Amino acid sequence: MRFNAKDLALLAKRPSGCFDKEGKLKICRLVGDEKLIEPRERWCRLKGNLLFLMKNKSSEASEVVILERCWVVEFRSKTDVSIILKFQSGEPDLYLEAASKPDCEAWAVALGEANSEGLRNKIQQLRRLIMEIKEERASDEARQFLPSSQVDSLGEPQFTSIQRIANEPKLEFSLACKGLVAATRDRKLNTFIQVSVVHPAEHILTRYSSTEIVEGTRDPLFLTGVTFPPEYPIYEETKIKLTVYDVKDKSQGTVRTSVLPDHKEPRADVGRSFLGCTTFRVGDLVKSKEQQLTLTLRTSDGGKTVGTIEVNLVKMGEFEDGEMGHITTDAQDQKFLCFLPLKSCSCGFLSATCAHNTENLERMADRRAKEECALVRECTTPEGLSGKDNLPSLNAVLKNPICKLYRFPTSDNKWMRIREQMAETTLSFHVPKELINLHIKEDMRRNQELKDLGELAPHWDNMRKSVIAHCDQMLSMYQDTLAELGKHTGSSFKSSCSKGEKTLEFIPINLHLQRMHVHSPRLKDALYDVITVGAPAAHFQGFKNGGLRKLLSKFEAERRNTGYQCIYYSPENTAKAKEVLSNINHLQPLISSHADLLLNSASQHSPDSLKNSLKMLSEKTELFVHAFKDQLVRSALLALYTARPGCVIKKPAVPRNSAEEGDDLKHQDHPSQIKRQDSIPHHSEYDEEEWDRVWANVGKSLNCVIAMVDRLLEKDSSKIKEGENDPSAADCKVLHAGGDWYEQLYPLVITLKDCMGEVVTRAKQSMAFVLLQELACGLPQCLMLTLRRDIVFSQALAGLVCGFIIKLHTSLHDQGFLQQLHTVGLLVQYEGLLSTYSEEAGMLEDMAVGISDLQKVMFKVIEAKSEDFLPIITGRREHYVIEVQLPAKMFELLPQEIKEGKLLRMYPVLFNVGINEQQTLAERFGDTTLQENINQENLELLKEYYNLFTEKMPPDCLPHFQEQNDLKGLLENLHQNIQAKRRKNVEIMWLAATICRKLNGVRFTCCKSAKDRTSMSVTLEQCSILRDEHQLHKDFFIRALDCMRSRQTQGALNESDDPETGCLTDNKPTSRHFYPVALLLVSSHLLVVWLILSLALLLAKYQ
């Protein structure tokens, strides 16, 4: 481009008022990230698209910068006052530094609007303003000629709604282009379509979504469709704009440096160029006879035709014919481009690489593109409940869904349609908060029990004070965490960039439901669910010393060598002590209430009620007595007595065990035979058999109550027989019978309560003393390990509850599954993709313990009594019960056993195979024993579940199998692959996932952050299911895979998030010093070279 130097010089010297903006800036040129020279101060004047650089205000212009084919990068931090101009031509970037942040922002806006594209944006904005003014004038004129009653109706615009099936998307359509014109004849186009919506009420253009990129053809047919959910405000008057772009620079097609408002069109930058656009009304598509529109694509000025675009209305229950010949013929000519985007810290839709050993592709997530989507249609099978019945309970669990629509060809030349849905879950925060609340209550009870131990010797008393101080400190930390979580607002999941935050350490990372709904022409509709979540691990605490698996083993070994400081109790004994305390807290109030009911029945002289009350009292009391039939309580009481000041132990003359004592008690049922015992003596001799007598008194008291009730009922029956002969005498006796029953039972019931209270006091103190030893032997490591285990378990439990609820909703009409659920239990299979190298080995250890701890979780399904359908969590650290609430109509579909409150068991299993470059290092220079041991241990658990399943379930409960031996063969194959110990043996994951699906289990896929490797695994699994179960055309497997993995389909072309910080990045590709892993597998020499080069590059970067 030529310029007249004299004219430019004269323009630069014009008065200040003639310029768009002027002022002082420090300026220099950049090559990469390095400044060629130090920034120098210049007087800058901006006129149109010309930026004049002058040494001072009165001097001549030393340089003129033409602001075309360039863009502005503005740094968003509060302290940075610099901006960068990048040029498409490749010349060095221009660094501009202002004096203040407001000045910097003003220059960024001025420079961004200085080029011709900025002028076009202004023109479009002015056109929209003119349209709004015209509409307001037309509305005012109409009001002048309308009656007042009709004027009121014009307050809000009336639009025509689209008539669709309830809970189905309002609008879905597919796209294809024909005869696209390239800038040059020889150029092969790589095209995609960006879909924008013009809302009739606002007249603002909003970017909605985009298709995938089809490479190397002028007649692209796009497999990704467009779907508008039921809640989206779209009407027949709504206009949809389709813009076709040609991607030139494939490596930067999705990376941009500035964020534009939704109403602005994106600029054509280095990665792509504008081809043409067209607009249509939704009503024209819906009302067209053939449900299809053929539109002409024109350039921005509306003059030149660049091709046509076909818009086909899609209905999930209908199929297209006649296009497969065209697609199959052109399949070899059309290449498909899968973008390589940067990570998105919000971890939305899935994107990944198709190679087994790569993780550099990420999820295609742009949270701005998310729209509310129907959950009901996805959550039930075709025979399932209606959407109205299912919607409230699911909306309580799932939130902010994203839906995508695809159409893929089948092997018999038909179309199948796939709706892919990803949703967050409110359980990500609900379950951890409920769990922390339980921890707080449990720890408060424990601290109080330690304080109630009474007087102890100085050594033990000091130990108790130290333990209570540490426990109070830990309790305060739990309370602070719960308070912080209560303040949380915003998204209902924790992004990967927040995994190191202390206040969110109980929250699972990126917990989402990934669902695929398949509608095939000749096969039954099917749903496939996978729960994706980051590996449950204590990221804030770090992995310097390993994970829970190693830390717990080391801690247990150290506890055995505590010496004289405290008494060692095994983990089994401490778990038993916690169980005894839990049984006490649960059974004592129940026995008291049943005893009161017995007295109430006696006062009312009701024989039937008396029998029922006695039956319940007997059952609960027997459970109570059985809970203390353990040597641990007896030995703990002795240990507690030795910890009292001035204790003397008296050996019994004749040793007797508790079992013999219990047998003798059955023959002693009179209250006069029961001898009340004092509390544990402090300064007197202690009889070791004293506990047996105290414990046996409860059984004796119960026998007395039973005998008295039998005697009363026998007398009552004899009086009834006498009354038949003399009715008047019988009436007189009945008047006094009620009082006699109550008076005779009352002393016995009081004795039972007193005996039970004495047992409770002694047992609580003894078990609290056991817990004191556990805590004292490992302070503060014991409490820190408990905290770490709580954190990991909280993350694992949130995912499990989500998976169970979703599985229950989708299988309510599957009687075989419901029978399996209450007869055998639910299989929960976790697919781990963590390496056994560096920090990820610690994560894997945490994950293994957290998933193993899920075995102590039981589920119970109850009928919801209100509109709150969130699950309720009860229990303690060794045993939790999750109560899942269902609406009345759904609850009635359950088997009687589940409706009666039967507890449902979980069988969690974990199979891990590292697949990234760190696993390559672990296999060549490290150790993979951890992975091998975990897989072997969980294989045994899976076999145990299979054996239980085959014993209790009929053979016809396996819907996917023709023969009974199929599962057995898969298990044997899995066993062989685990024993083979091959490197990166992904066959283990495929076999485990297949077995899980065949056994009606719940599938989880986990990696470090539930993004890279998780995305890769899920999308590959989905396409494999389409191929194996739904006859996906073999030539379209890779295209379908790339289509699901492409972030381009999300329409997020203008933002990119840094994988660790979540901040906006510039247009420079991320610098990674990792070369293709496939090369590293060739030879160990290449691996050494790779390590040396990476180290050299890192040193050069940070010097």
Side-chain angles (χ1 to χ4, degrees):
M1 187 180 296
R2 295 182 179 180
F3 296 95
N4 190 316
K6 293 183 179 180
D7 292 341
L8 289 176
L10 291 175
L11 181 60
K13 291 184 178 181
R14 296 185 66 181
S16 298
C18 301
F19 294 97
D20 300 329
K21 185 171 180 57
E22 62 178 331
K24 290 182 180 181
L25 293 174
K26 291 184 178 180
I27 297 176
C28 70
R29 291 285 182 174
L30 296 177
V31 175
D33 289 336
E34 297 182 0
K35 301 173 183 177
L36 295 179
I37 59 174
E38 286 298 318
R40 297 179 179 178
E41 189 176 274
R42 292 288 184 265
W43 184 265
C44 302
R45 287 182 166 180
L46 178 64
K47 180 63 178 178
N49 61 351
L50 299 177
L51 178 63
F52 297 96
L53 307 181
M54 311 164 65
K55 291 184 178 181
N56 52 61
K57 190 173 183 179
S58 59
S59 65
E60 296 183 356
S62 59
E63 186 178 356
V64 181
V65 181
I66 304 171
L67 302 177
E68 291 294 340
R69 301 173 67 83
C70 66
W71 64 97
V72 178
V73 178
E74 180 185 357
F75 297 95
R76 301 286 176 166
S77 64
K78 297 181 179 180
T79 58
D80 206 322
V81 292
S82 61
I83 53 179
I84 295 177
L85 278 177
K86 289 181 174 289
F87 298 91
Q88 185 176 347
S89 61
E91 63 180 291
D93 302 338
L94 187 63
Y95 174 86
L96 307 173
E97 183 178 328
S100 63
K101 189 62 178 178
D103 195 22
C104 177
E105 293 175 352
W107 273 104
V109 173
L111 293 172
E113 297 177 351
N115 54 18
S116 56
E117 185 177 353
L119 183 60
R120 284 196 299 269
N121 291 334
K122 287 183 178 180
I123 293 173
Q124 292 178 1
Q125 187 176 4
L126 290 173
R127 285 176 177 173
R128 285 194 295 267
L129 290 174
I130 292 173
M131 291 175 61
E132 292 175 2
I133 293 173
K134 287 182 178 180
E135 290 176 358
E136 290 176 359
R137 288 181 178 177
S139 177
D140 293 339
E141 292 174 359
R143 290 173 184 269
Q144 296 177 4
F145 298 99
L146 288 175
S148 58
S149 60
Q150 298 184 21
V151 170
D152 296 336
S153 65
L154 294 177
E156 295 183 0
Q158 301 296 322
F159 302 116
T160 307
S161 300
I162 300 175
Q163 300 298 324
R164 297 289 285 177
I165 303 174
N167 299 314
E168 286 290 310
K170 284 187 176 180
L171 180 68
E172 291 180 314
F173 57 85
S174 58
L175 299 168
C177 294
K178 291 185 179 180
L180 296 179
V181 178
T184 60
R185 291 185 178 181
D186 298 333
R187 171 164 175 75
K188 291 185 177 181
L189 296 176
N190 309 316
T191 53
F192 71 93
I193 300 177
Q194 181 174 289
V195 181
S196 303
V197 179
V198 181
H199 296 281
E202 302 173 355
H203 301 286
I204 295 177
L205 190 70
T206 305
R207 290 194 300 276
Y208 183 75
S209 67
S210 296
T211 65
E212 79 279 11
I213 294 177
V214 178
E215 182 184 2
T217 179
R218 300 190 180 190
D219 301 318
L221 186 142
F222 301 97
L223 301 183
T224 303
V226 181
T227 178
F228 292 88
E231 295 83 3
Y232 194 85
I234 188 170
Y235 310 94
E236 291 187 6
E237 293 80 7
T238 302
K239 292 183 179 181
I240 296 179
K241 181 179 180 180
L242 306 175
T243 308
V244 181
Y245 289 98
D246 173 26
V247 177
K248 295 180 180 180
D249 188 347
K250 307 178 188 61
S251 64
Q252 299 190 20
T254 61
V255 182
R256 289 186 54 85
T257 61
S258 60
V259 180
L260 297 176
D262 288 340
H263 64 272
K264 291 187 179 182
E265 280 295 306
R267 296 192 296 258
D269 56 23
V270 261
R272 59 181 180 164
S273 63
F274 173 84
L275 284 183
C277 63
T278 186
T279 305
F280 69 93
R281 289 177 68 255
V282 172
D284 296 338
L285 176 61
V286 174
K287 295 178 180 179
S288 61
K289 293 183 179 180
E290 298 180 355
Q291 307 282 280
Q292 177 180 328
L293 295 177
T294 302
L295 308 171
T296 302
L297 289 170
R298 297 185 181 276
T299 55
S300 56
D301 57 4
K304 184 180 179 181
T305 300
V306 294
T308 59
I309 184 168
E310 292 182 357
V311 184
N312 292 278
L313 190 66
V314 172
K315 295 181 180 179
M316 202 68 172
E318 299 180 0
F319 301 97
E320 301 175 64
D321 295 315
E323 294 187 27
M324 279 301 302
H326 165 71
I327 299 173
T328 306
T329 303
D330 296 345
Q332 302 301 325
D333 297 330
Q334 294 190 18
K335 299 180 180 179
F336 187 81
L337 174 63
C338 178
F339 266 114
L340 312 181
L342 295 178
K343 286 185 182 178
S344 173
C345 66
S346 60
C347 190
F349 228 62
L350 299 175
S351 70
T353 176
C354 57
H356 285 302
N357 297 324
T358 314
E359 66 164 4
N360 293 334
L361 294 183
E362 322 297 336
R363 289 194 161 196
M364 39 185 177
D366 180 15
R367 288 291 164 186
R368 293 195 178 191
K370 292 176 65 174
E371 298 289 348
E372 287 295 328
C373 168
L375 304 178
V376 177
R377 66 181 188 281
E378 303 289 348
C379 296
T380 57
T381 57
E383 300 84 4
L385 289 173
S386 66
K388 293 181 180 179
D389 297 329
N390 208 4
L391 181 61
S393 56
L394 279 176
N395 280 349
V397 176
L398 299 181
K399 187 178 180 182
N400 296 334
I402 301 174
C403 276
K404 291 302 297 181
L405 174 70
Y406 306 102
R407 54 172 178 173
F408 297 142
T410 61
S411 56
D412 57 353
N413 295 336
K414 298 290 184 181
W415 285 106
M416 65 174 164
R417 293 199 173 90
I418 294 92
R419 284 202 192 115
E420 194 180 23
Q421 173 183 312
M422 192 203 71
E424 304 168 12
T425 171
T426 56
L427 300 176
S428 293
F429 282 83
H430 173 74
V431 170
K433 288 193 289 187
E434 291 288 308
L435 205 57
I436 295 173
N437 193 33
L438 287 179
H439 293 333
I440 292 174
K441 293 179 180 178
E442 180 181 351
D443 291 348
M444 291 178 68
R445 285 196 303 268
R446 179 196 60 197
N447 292 357
Q448 187 60 44
E449 289 163 357
L450 292 177
K451 295 175 183 178
D452 293 341
L453 277 176
E455 186 180 1
L456 297 175
H459 168 72
W460 300 106
D461 191 49
N462 293 333
M463 180 183 295
R464 175 173 58 178
K465 291 178 180 179
S466 176
V467 168
I468 292 177
H470 281 85
C471 290
D472 286 342
Q473 185 179 359
M474 194 63 62
L475 180 62
S476 177
M477 190 278 296
Y478 279 99
Q479 293 171 337
D480 293 342
T481 300
L482 183 61
E484 290 297 324
L485 291 179
K487 300 176 184 177
H488 176 82
T489 57
S491 63
S492 55
F493 74 102
K494 182 175 78 172
S495 61
S496 60
C497 60
S498 302
K499 60 176 172 281
E501 293 186 15
K502 179 175 177 55
T503 56
L504 299 178
E505 57 185 347
F506 284 86
I507 311 300
I509 302 171
N510 281 331
L511 177 59
H512 291 85
L513 165 67
Q514 177 69 22
R515 164 165 289 175
M516 181 174 67
H517 180 198
V518 184
H519 190 81
S520 301
R522 297 182 181 178
L523 299 175
K524 193 175 182 180
D525 282 14
L527 288 178
Y528 300 94
D529 291 339
V530 177
I531 307 297
T532 60
V533 63
H539 292 275
F540 177 78
Q541 296 190 19
F543 309 95
K544 182 179 180 181
N545 298 317
L548 274 173
R549 192 179 173 102
K550 180 186 295 183
L551 293 173
L552 289 173
S553 177
K554 181 179 178 181
F555 174 73
E556 187 60 30
E558 292 176 349
R559 279 189 60 203
R560 296 176 182 272
N561 302 320
T562 52
Y564 68 92
Q565 295 181 358
C566 58
I567 304 172
Y568 173 75
Y569 287 95
S570 67
E572 293 76 15
N573 284 334
T574 55
K576 180 66 177 177
K578 295 176 182 177
E579 182 182 353
V580 170
L581 288 173
S582 176
N583 289 333
I584 290 174
N585 295 326
H586 175 67
L587 292 175
Q588 185 183 14
L590 286 178
I591 294 174
S592 298
S593 63
H594 288 307
D596 293 338
L597 289 175
L598 182 70
L599 292 177
N600 187 42
S601 301
S603 64
Q604 296 178 2
H605 191 72
S606 173
D608 292 337
S609 177
L610 191 66
K611 291 179 181 178
N612 293 332
S613 300
L614 179 62
K615 180 181 178 181
M616 298 300 297
L617 177 63
S618 300
E619 291 177 355
K620 299 302 180 183
T621 306
E622 288 175 4
L623 290 175
F624 179 83
V625 173
H626 181 74
F628 302 107
K629 193 177 181 178
D630 194 283
Q631 184 63 27
L632 175 64
V633 181
R634 187 176 181 183
S635 62
L637 278 170
L638 179 59
L640 176 60
Y641 174 70
T642 60
R644 304 288 189 190
C647 68
V648 178
I649 300 177
K650 175 184 177 183
K651 295 294 182 181
V654 181
R656 303 178 65 186
N657 56 45
S658 59
E660 294 173 349
E661 186 74 22
D663 293 336
D664 295 341
L665 299 178
K666 297 180 180 178
H667 306 288
Q668 303 175 7
D669 54 4
H670 195 275
S672 61
Q673 298 174 336
I674 302 175
K675 297 181 180 180
R676 297 288 305 278
Q677 302 292 335
D678 295 331
S679 59
I680 296 177
H682 285 202
H683 294 278
S684 61
E685 295 182 353
Y686 175 67
D687 187 355
E688 293 186 32
E689 290 190 353
E690 184 182 13
W691 164 249
D692 292 334
R693 293 190 291 271
V694 174
W695 167 67
N697 283 345
V698 178
K700 291 180 180 181
S701 300
L702 178 63
N703 290 337
C704 293
V705 173
I706 295 174
M708 180 59 69
V709 171
D710 291 340
R711 191 178 301 119
L712 293 174
L713 292 175
E714 183 179 353
K715 290 181 179 180
D716 184 69
S717 61
S718 62
K719 291 178 181 178
I720 292 176
K721 291 180 181 179
E722 294 176 2
E724 293 176 355
N725 300 326
D726 190 358
S728 60
D731 293 339
C732 296
K733 293 180 180 179
V734 169
L735 293 174
H736 302 283
D740 294 341
W741 282 17
Y742 182 86
E743 291 173 0
Q744 295 183 53
L745 280 176
Y746 180 78
L748 302 180
V749 171
I750 294 300
T751 302
L752 174 63
K753 288 185 177 181
D754 291 343
C755 293
M756 183 180 62
E758 188 172 358
V759 170
V760 166
T761 301
R762 292 172 179 256
K764 271 190 173 183
Q765 289 184 341
S766 64
M767 295 300 97
F769 189 73
V770 173
L771 297 184
L772 174 64
Q773 308 308 309
E774 179 198 25
L775 295 170
C777 288
L779 282 178
Q781 292 88 350
C782 180
L783 293 177
M784 293 306 298
L785 281 177
T786 301
L787 171 63
R788 189 183 189 103
R789 199 165 188 171
D790 289 345
I791 291 170
V792 175
F793 179 76
S794 172
Q795 298 177 24
L797 182 63
L800 176 64
V801 175
C802 176
F804 178 86
I805 293 176
I806 297 301
K807 183 65 177 180
L808 183 63
H809 278 77
T810 56
S811 305
L812 275 174
H813 284 266
D814 188 346
Q815 295 302 319
F817 168 77
L818 295 176
Q819 181 184 356
Q820 174 187 350
L821 185 61
H822 71 78
T823 305
V824 185
L826 181 64
L827 178 65
V828 184
Q829 186 252 327
Y830 288 80
E831 177 183 296
L833 303 170
L834 293 171
S835 69
T836 55
Y837 183 80
S838 187
E839 287 191 347
E840 289 198 9
M843 297 177 200
L844 181 57
E845 290 181 350
D846 276 0
M847 182 180 179
V849 174
I851 292 175
S852 176
D853 286 345
L854 294 177
Q855 297 179 30
K856 59 191 179 186
V857 176
M858 308 283 278
F859 280 82
K860 181 180 179 181
V861 184
I862 62 175
E863 182 178 354
K865 302 301 181 182
S866 65
E867 296 300 320
D868 184 8
F869 297 101
L870 290 174
I872 302 169
I873 304 178
T874 58
R876 54 186 173 81
R877 281 187 174 91
E878 301 300 324
H879 179 71
Y880 291 100
V881 176
I882 314 298
E883 296 181 354
V884 176
Q885 303 185 81
L886 289 183
K889 292 183 179 179
M890 299 174 67
F891 187 76
E892 290 301 321
L893 300 175
L894 298 174
Q896 190 63 31
E897 293 85 351
I898 298 180
K899 289 195 287 187
E900 290 176 355
K902 183 175 181 179
L903 295 180
L904 311 175
R905 289 197 61 187
M906 300 294 108
Y907 291 85
V909 293
L910 165 65
F911 293 95
N912 186 86
V913 177
I915 61 172
N916 63 349
E917 66 275 2
Q918 289 188 342
Q919 184 64 20
T920 303
L921 297 175
E923 290 172 347
R924 291 193 175 272
F925 302 108
D927 184 16
T928 60
T929 306
L930 173 63
Q931 176 176 286
E932 295 166 3
N933 292 340
I934 289 175
N935 290 343
Q936 185 62 46
E937 293 168 5
N938 285 273
L939 174 63
E940 299 303 321
L941 295 175
L942 183 59
K943 288 181 178 179
E944 179 184 340
Y945 180 84
Y946 169 73
N947 293 332
L948 192 64
F949 181 89
T950 53
E951 290 175 6
K952 296 187 176 182
M953 296 295 294
D956 56 356
C957 286
L958 297 178
H960 298 283
F961 278 85
Q962 302 295 330
E963 300 178 1
Q964 182 67 21
N965 294 329
D966 288 342
L967 265 176
K968 188 175 181 180
L970 286 171
L971 280 169
E972 182 61 29
N973 195 0
L974 178 60
H975 175 75
Q976 292 174 0
N977 277 275
I978 291 176
Q979 293 296 324
K981 300 180 181 180
R982 297 204 312 264
R983 293 177 178 176
K984 297 186 179 179
N985 188 3
V986 294
E987 190 69 19
I988 293 175
M989 297 189 297
W990 288 112
L991 289 169
T994 302
I995 294 171
C996 176
R997 285 196 298 269
K998 303 308 182 184
L999 287 174
N1000 296 319
V1002 179
R1003 288 264 299 114
F1004 284 79
T1005 301
C1006 311
C1007 66
K1008 180 178 179 179
S1009 301
K1011 295 190 302 186
D1012 317 24
R1013 288 161 279 181
T1014 298
S1015 304
M1016 174 185 63
S1017 175
V1018 171
T1019 49
L1020 187 59
E1021 179 182 357
Q1022 288 182 167
C1023 289
S1024 298
I1025 290 173
L1026 294 178
R1027 178 193 60 195
D1028 299 337
E1029 305 289 341
H1030 298 276
Q1031 303 175 358
L1032 174 66
H1033 198 287
K1034 62 180 181 179
D1035 294 336
F1036 280 80
F1037 179 82
I1038 297 300
R1039 282 196 60 178
L1041 184 64
D1042 291 341
C1043 192
M1044 288 185 174
R1045 289 173 170 177
S1046 174
R1047 182 178 180 235
Q1048 182 76 11
T1049 59
Q1050 289 306 299
L1053 303 175
N1054 62 326
E1055 293 185 27
S1056 59
D1057 295 325
D1058 185 87
E1060 300 304 329
T1061 63
C1063 303
L1064 295 175
T1065 61
D1066 62 8
N1067 204 17
K1068 190 177 74 170
T1070 305
S1071 176
R1072 294 181 181 268
H1073 304 307
F1074 297 106
Y1075 303 103
V1077 179
L1079 294 177
L1080 305 181
L1081 300 177
V1082 177
S1083 169
S1084 59
H1085 299 290
L1086 288 178
L1087 182 60
V1088 175
V1089 174
W1090 167 67
L1091 290 172
I1092 295 174
L1093 289 176
S1094 298
L1095 182 60
L1097 289 172
L1098 288 172
L1099 290 174
K1101 178 179 179 181
Y1102 292 105
Q1103 280 182 350

